Amino acid sequence: MASLSLAVECRYYRAGVCGSCTELALPWEEQIAAKQKYAEQLIPAKTWLPIAVSRKENFRNKVKLVVSGSYENVQLGISDQDLRNCPLPLPEIKAVIPRLAEFIKQCKLRPYRVNSASGDLKYLLITASPSQELMVRFVVRRAGVQGIIRKNLPHLLEKLPQIKVVSLNIQPEHKAILEGEEEIILTSQTVLPFLLPNTGIYLELRPQSFFQTNTAQAEVLYQQAASWLAGASSAWDLYCGIGGFAFALAEAGVEKVQGVEAMPEAVKAANDTAVQLELAQRLEFVAADATKWILEQKVQPEALVLNPPRRGIGAELAQWVNNSQVQKVVYSSCNAQSLAKDLAIMNNFQVEQAQVVDMFAHTKHMEIICLLQKKSED
């Protein structure tokens, strides 16, 4: 593979130890064209906006590193492979990985071994904000290791003051599950501030909250949704996470926005941010299942934002939207197939515009954002 031309140079791909970037051997322009073609084949949009192209490297704002090897010689990457020099994460993430490896050795945190169900440390999760501050989460098998981590943490934070939030996630199950329900925050600061540079949107990320892996591309989504729904009297933001779309709509002049999210931690972060920004009269976030919540409402909004997991919104919610009084829907999806399936049910709407957002460079995955307009009854 030495003579193979790659869109971005990666020694791990060349060595055959990591194939996560499935399209890396495809020229960059061909990757972009293939995503656009695939989206257009599935989504019946009247107008396609130009694709929002990602940076080729140094764009991932978070990494999920499998911990393997031994604490004396820890491996941080996937399976038993060390990938700490992957070209995709932001430089500020890669810069702290060696020091975190030293911290693991100092604390004598034994990597978890699946075959023997021994050891404690399963994953290391690192997230970077636009201001280059970091949140570090240790996913461990048991809470008992927090003593040694707390003992050595002040020294780590002295050496790496850019780390603002550190937590333990307790995942005791002998299963391929990334996170457990219990989170123990070890720092006085509990949230990582996200001030988005291009839009000025301010968000706060808690340890168990979700944010897109590509900050610049997330801003593209927020800006597009805001431009499409600017001036609406009311909107619901379903699967809202920490409220990115909702805050963007508020900035665009939407008078009243309600966000719905199943993760309580994300909802708390969003509500706290709304209070901090003095937007609580216009923005409200609730912790609930989106489909159950929407079926209980007596009043319907003018506009709707849908940003579901890969599985899509499902037939029940899609049918409700199709029969509702909602006039405009913005649907942002990371799965073109589930999006197409949901759109087929919502046949009372026309896909007026759509855009591919290259959220996951060098893979076949993408984000697609669509504007749906209620068809005229004439």
Side-chain angles (χ1 to χ4, degrees):
M1 207 180 281
S3 62
L4 183 64
S5 177
L6 302 180
V8 168
E9 182 54 40
C10 177
R11 68 190 190 191
Y12 305 117
Y13 188 91
R14 287 196 183 279
V17 300
C18 179
S20 298
C21 294
T22 57
E23 310 303 289
L24 195 59
L26 195 65
W28 182 244
E29 294 76 13
E30 291 184 29
Q31 291 186 37
I32 300 303
K35 289 184 177 184
Q36 185 68 39
K37 181 179 179 180
Y38 180 71
E40 290 184 9
Q41 289 174 339
L42 283 175
I43 309 304
K46 289 175 64 177
T47 302
W48 280 94
L49 302 176
I51 186 170
V53 181
S54 172
R55 291 203 302 265
K56 293 183 181 181
E57 56 187 319
N58 298 327
F59 63 84
R60 285 192 64 97
N61 59 31
K62 59 184 172 185
V63 296
K64 302 175 182 180
L65 301 172
V66 177
V67 182
S68 59
S70 64
Y71 70 79
E72 299 99 329
N73 185 26
V74 67
Q75 305 293 306
L76 299 171
I78 56 174
S79 301
D80 291 322
Q81 299 293 336
D82 193 283
L83 304 182
R84 66 182 70 186
N85 292 311
C86 169
L88 302 190
L90 292 169
E92 53 266 33
I93 290 179
K94 289 188 283 189
V96 301
I97 292 177
R99 181 73 69 174
L100 289 170
E102 293 176 11
F103 181 74
I104 291 169
K105 180 178 180 179
Q106 182 181 14
C107 294
K108 297 183 179 179
L109 295 173
R110 295 182 304 145
Y112 180 73
R113 296 182 181 275
V114 176
N115 56 357
S116 60
S118 62
D120 293 304
L121 183 57
K122 295 185 173 185
Y123 303 99
L124 182 64
L125 312 180
I126 310 171
T127 302
S129 74
S131 60
Q132 301 184 4
E133 295 180 334
L134 303 174
M135 173 162 55
V136 176
R137 302 172 64 206
F138 297 91
V139 180
V140 296
R141 186 167 61 94
R142 59 189 182 91
V145 298
Q146 66 178 296
I148 189 64
I149 293 178
R150 287 185 185 275
K151 178 181 177 181
N152 291 290
L153 187 57
H155 181 67
L156 176 69
L157 299 181
E158 180 181 348
K159 295 294 184 181
L160 299 174
Q162 64 269 45
I163 297 179
K164 301 300 181 183
V165 182
V166 178
S167 70
L168 286 183
N169 179 272
I170 314 303
Q171 208 294 76
E173 296 189 62
H174 184 56
K175 295 179 181 178
I177 300 174
L178 181 62
E179 300 179 28
E181 295 182 2
E182 183 181 1
E183 194 88 21
I184 303 172
I185 299 181
L186 304 178
T187 48
S188 58
Q189 185 170 322
T190 61
V191 299
L192 187 65
F194 258 66
L195 179 60
L196 302 180
N198 297 320
T199 59
I201 295 172
Y202 176 77
L203 303 168
E204 292 188 339
L205 189 64
R206 291 174 179 267
Q208 290 183 306
S209 302
F210 170 81
F211 187 78
Q212 298 281 6
T213 60
N214 190 325
T215 301
Q217 298 298 76
E219 287 202 88
V220 172
L221 295 177
Y222 300 155
Q223 287 175 310
Q224 193 58 70
S227 70
W228 282 336
L229 300 183
S233 60
S234 60
W236 291 347
D237 179 8
L238 305 185
Y239 312 94
C240 67
I242 59 174
F245 282 109
F247 285 102
L249 296 186
E251 288 285 332
V254 178
E255 297 175 14
K256 180 67 176 179
V257 185
Q258 289 180 283
V260 182
E261 166 60 44
M263 292 293 292
E265 280 293 301
V267 170
K268 177 172 174 48
N271 277 321
D272 288 351
T273 304
V275 171
Q276 187 174 338
L277 298 178
E278 299 183 349
L279 291 172
Q281 296 299 316
R282 297 173 55 204
L283 287 169
E284 177 190 9
F285 299 90
V286 296
D289 174 83
T291 301
K292 291 180 180 178
W293 182 87
I294 207 169
L295 294 175
E296 296 171 352
Q297 305 310 302
K298 306 300 182 185
V299 180
Q300 298 182 13
E302 179 183 344
L304 194 63
V305 175
L306 303 171
N307 184 29
R310 287 189 58 81
R311 65 178 181 273
I313 64 174
E316 186 175 15
L317 182 50
Q319 194 61 59
W320 182 95
V321 175
N322 193 53
N323 297 330
S324 72
Q325 299 303 309
V326 173
Q327 296 302 303
K328 289 184 178 182
V329 176
V330 171
Y331 195 140
S332 181
S333 171
C334 61
N335 185 340
Q337 292 186 346
S338 64
L339 171 60
K341 186 176 180 180
D342 290 338
L343 291 177
I345 297 174
M346 295 187 285
N347 53 19
N348 287 335
F349 288 83
Q350 167 68 48
V351 183
E352 292 290 333
Q353 297 184 49
Q355 183 180 30
V356 173
V357 178
D358 187 20
M359 188 72 67
F360 316 100
H362 313 300
T363 75
K364 291 185 177 181
H365 300 295
M366 71 193 85
E367 196 84 15
I368 302 175
I369 187 166
C370 304
L371 171 64
L372 283 59
Q373 180 75 48
K374 196 70 171 281
K375 293 178 181 176
S376 171
E377 296 180 0
D378 296 341

